[in-house]
Amino acid sequence: MPDARPDAEPQDALPHPDADLGALAPFRHRVFSMLWSTWLIANLCMWMNDVAAAWLMTTLAARPNWVALVQTAATLPVFLLGLPSGALADIFDRKRFLLLTQLWVAGVGTLLALAIFAGVVTPPLLLLLVFLNGIGLALRWPVFSAIVPELVPRAQLPAALALNGVSMNAARIFGPLLAGAIIAALGSAWVFLLNAVLSAAAAVVISRWRREHRPHPLGREPFGGAMRVGLQYLRQSQHLKGVLLRIAIFFFHSTALMALLPLVALQIEGGDARTFTVLLAAMGAGAVASTFALPRLRQAFARDHLVLGGAGAQALSMAVMALTSNVWVGVLAMLVGGAAWLTTANSLSVSAQLSLPDWVRARGMSMYQMAIMGSAASGAAVWGQVATWSSVPVALGLGAASAILVMTLAIRRWPDRGAMEDPTPAGPLPHPEVSTPPASGHVLVTIEYQIDPARAAAFRALMDESRRSRLRQGALGWELLSDINDPGRFVEVIEDASWTEYLRRFERVGVADAALRERKLAYHVGVEPPIVRRAVRESTARGGRMSFGPG
């Protein structure tokens, strides 16, 4: 039976931005301050764990391949579990999920310490436990990224993300220093034991967060379907693909300096391990200091101007480090490089966060993290090989030149259009009423438009936007049919995996989607609204058949 009601409603008003946009404004929110402290602890534990595990491996097996495998074991879980962890964080209670990751890391740290105290740790066992610790890190990052927008007003999100960068860079400075001091005084086992205690303490802090989890009335999204929708959202989001392209280009090139920094430190006059530590600390200090300039920079420059400027400053830092033998010049260059790193990463992280609706946020940010880790890992391998074939200064020089060239080409080829689709929910939409919802089978929805044939080309172009919108919301398929006998009649067809998944799309309609609906309706010239029909594909012995039911 035809239904004259289209499948979306007009948009709600946009939220009012918060007046305080200062760099430290998010700390005015108690819950943000509380969870930020747990994020700082988590980053400290990560850096301490990396240092202690690498040093322990040198005492167990001094061969370079075993030592290099420690870093592989720590980062591999991000590639294997990036999207699955994002899907889990979007499906389950995010507070409990974050709490579980901290308890997981605490448990692994305890096992590592006990294995060392018992004298049973071996290179393979160490790699296994480092890998298990990496699982906790891989699960934690997407859920924390998805939680941050809940804690502060939308206008303060850039500052909140910058403060997260501060915690990471502060941990980069103090984590290795603290781990080194404990290893020298007590041994590696005590580093892992301290990590376990700190992670457990962070879990206690998280448990005090009074977050009310409201189960979705449609139930949990299927795990496989959640991953499919996450990938599908990325494929249909031009904005998000542009962000991932830029962050991948930046980290592919900037990682050259980080990967080769131990060798760069040795080329400094009188360079040794302490020189390496000083240069690394200078980079972290530059990143922390740049946080206070970010609010003004964001107001003064467009996103791509900041990204290109950050790439340029990072390239300058790399070029200077390739040429200098003076430690103080190197410190100044690393300060600039750290500021460029945080400015670029923050600009792109904010751009990704603001474009993602909450229902897919963890999946989107997990793919953002995968782009960072994948480009950094491949960049380290590429620039390390270039340095092997030539020299460290040549590799850094080529990396600096390539960074500017490739980023400039990417921004010109895929420019930031300035306008970002508003992911704010359009409000509760009425579900279609049916006497007996289908228990199984794919659901197909058809919407019939009658338009002026003279405007058919413009309507087809608009319907391409509709295709991307429907697929971003999770539809399995989409197509547009035109009537051979009536050039003004078009039928939009949307396919969903089930009746429940069809209803989920009602929950995912954003302000931009509602505005798109109004633009489509403006083309309709029929006396009645576009006719909506809903059908279920039923499986039969001979194949499939369409069964139409009441709207």
Side-chain angles (χ1 to χ4, degrees):
M1 182 176 183
D3 183 358
R5 183 181 63 241
D7 59 339
E9 294 295 332
Q11 67 185 53
D12 288 343
L14 293 175
H16 295 289
D18 195 276
D20 189 353
L21 302 180
L24 302 180
F27 283 138
R28 297 176 183 270
H29 304 278
R30 186 184 63 84
V31 175
F32 174 83
S33 299
M34 180 177 69
L35 294 183
W36 185 88
S37 68
T38 68
W39 189 238
L40 176 61
I41 291 173
N43 285 314
L44 275 171
C45 292
M46 178 185 70
W47 283 100
M48 291 169 62
N49 190 86
D50 287 351
V51 170
W55 181 256
L56 179 60
M57 183 61 81
T58 64
T59 65
L60 298 173
R63 293 194 300 271
N65 59 333
W66 279 108
V67 177
L69 283 174
V70 172
Q71 190 63 27
T72 301
T75 57
L76 186 60
V78 176
F79 296 100
L80 299 179
L81 301 176
L83 182 58
S85 64
L88 290 172
D90 280 330
I91 294 173
F92 293 102
D93 180 356
R94 288 173 179 169
K95 173 191 170 181
R96 292 185 178 180
F97 194 77
L98 181 61
L99 180 64
L100 176 64
T101 64
Q102 288 300 115
L103 293 175
W104 176 280
V105 172
V108 173
T110 302
L111 289 176
L112 260 169
L114 292 176
I116 297 172
F117 285 134
V120 299
V121 67
T122 62
L125 178 60
L126 176 60
L127 291 179
L128 174 62
L129 292 173
V130 169
F131 181 84
L132 292 176
N133 185 75
I135 290 177
L137 303 182
L139 296 175
R140 180 174 62 200
W141 198 90
V143 67
F144 187 83
S145 298
I147 284 173
V148 172
E150 298 181 22
L151 310 179
V152 298
R154 182 179 175 88
Q156 290 182 356
L157 183 58
L161 297 178
L163 290 172
N164 288 346
V166 167
S167 74
M168 182 174 295
N169 283 279
R172 176 184 291 176
I173 298 172
F174 297 108
L177 296 176
L178 182 58
I182 295 175
I183 291 171
L186 301 172
S188 298
W190 291 95
V191 175
F192 298 121
L193 188 60
L194 177 60
N195 281 350
V197 172
L198 290 176
S199 297
V204 172
V205 173
I206 294 170
S207 68
R208 297 177 58 191
W209 176 24
R210 296 180 180 178
R211 179 182 188 268
E212 181 182 357
H213 175 64
R214 298 177 180 176
H216 199 284
L218 296 175
R220 290 174 178 166
E221 193 174 356
F223 179 67
M227 289 200 293
R228 172 189 66 81
V229 171
L231 287 171
Q232 195 165 288
Y233 189 96
L234 173 62
R235 283 198 299 267
Q236 301 303 326
S237 174
Q238 298 298 323
H239 178 84
L240 191 57
K241 286 191 291 186
V243 169
L244 265 58
L245 174 66
R246 286 159 172 76
I247 200 66
I249 291 172
F250 182 80
F251 272 89
F252 177 84
H253 293 91
S254 65
T255 197
L257 182 55
M258 289 299 299
L260 299 174
L261 192 59
L263 299 176
V264 172
L266 294 178
Q267 295 181 2
I268 299 289
E269 185 176 350
D272 54 17
R274 287 178 297 179
T275 307
F276 170 70
T277 303
V278 168
L279 294 176
L280 193 62
M283 183 178 184
V288 172
S290 68
T291 304
F292 299 96
L294 278 175
R296 292 185 179 180
L297 290 175
R298 281 192 293 265
Q299 292 177 355
F301 300 100
R303 186 202 71 183
D304 273 357
H305 290 162
L306 287 176
V307 171
L308 188 57
Q314 179 67 36
L316 176 63
S317 173
M318 293 167 61
V320 171
M321 295 303 297
L323 299 174
T324 189
S325 60
N326 184 284
V327 65
W328 296 112
V329 174
V331 166
L332 181 60
M334 294 302 290
L335 284 169
V336 172
W341 180 89
L342 185 64
T343 299
T344 305
N346 178 259
S347 299
L348 292 171
S349 177
V350 168
S351 188
Q353 284 273 24
L354 292 180
S355 70
L356 286 167
D358 187 66
W359 61 267
V360 76
R361 190 181 304 280
R363 281 166 280 186
M365 295 309 295
S366 71
M367 290 183 282
Y368 177 86
Q369 177 71 356
M370 290 173 68
I372 291 176
M373 298 298 290
S375 59
S378 58
V382 168
W383 298 115
Q385 191 60 50
V386 171
T388 301
W389 288 337
S390 54
S391 66
V392 171
V394 169
L396 291 178
L398 289 175
S402 176
I404 290 293
L405 177 63
V406 176
M407 187 65 80
T408 301
L409 290 176
I411 288 176
R412 289 187 176 181
R413 176 63 180 84
W414 296 281
D416 179 20
R417 300 297 182 184
M420 184 189 303
E421 292 185 341
D422 189 352
T424 306
L429 305 178
H431 289 182
E433 298 179 1
V434 293
S435 56
T436 305
S440 62
H442 287 192
V443 173
L444 284 90
V445 179
T446 63
I447 307 174
E448 301 178 17
Y449 297 91
Q450 192 70 39
I451 71 165
D452 181 355
R455 305 178 69 192
F459 181 73
R460 287 189 178 95
L462 182 63
M463 293 305 288
D464 190 56
E465 292 185 41
S466 183
R467 174 186 64 82
R468 291 195 296 270
S469 173
R470 306 288 192 186
L471 294 177
R472 278 198 305 270
Q473 294 166 4
L476 271 180
W478 182 96
E479 58 185 338
L480 181 66
L481 308 179
S482 58
D483 195 319
I484 297 176
N485 298 315
D486 184 353
R489 181 173 177 267
F490 288 83
V491 180
E492 183 181 17
V493 183
I494 310 107
E495 182 175 1
D496 290 287
S498 66
W499 183 256
T500 299
E501 296 308 304
Y502 164 60
L503 295 181
R504 287 191 199 280
R505 288 200 293 108
F506 283 74
E507 312 294 328
R508 297 168 177 172
V509 174
V511 167
D513 301 314
L516 175 61
R517 168 188 176 266
E518 297 302 320
R519 290 162 60 196
K520 290 187 293 185
L521 290 179
Y523 280 87
H524 183 69
V525 296
V527 177
E528 298 294 331
I531 296 176
V532 178
R533 303 178 191 271
R534 300 172 180 87
V536 61
R537 178 180 284 128
E538 299 178 351
S539 298
T540 64
R542 296 182 179 179
R545 63 188 176 94
M546 299 301 296
S547 175
F548 281 87

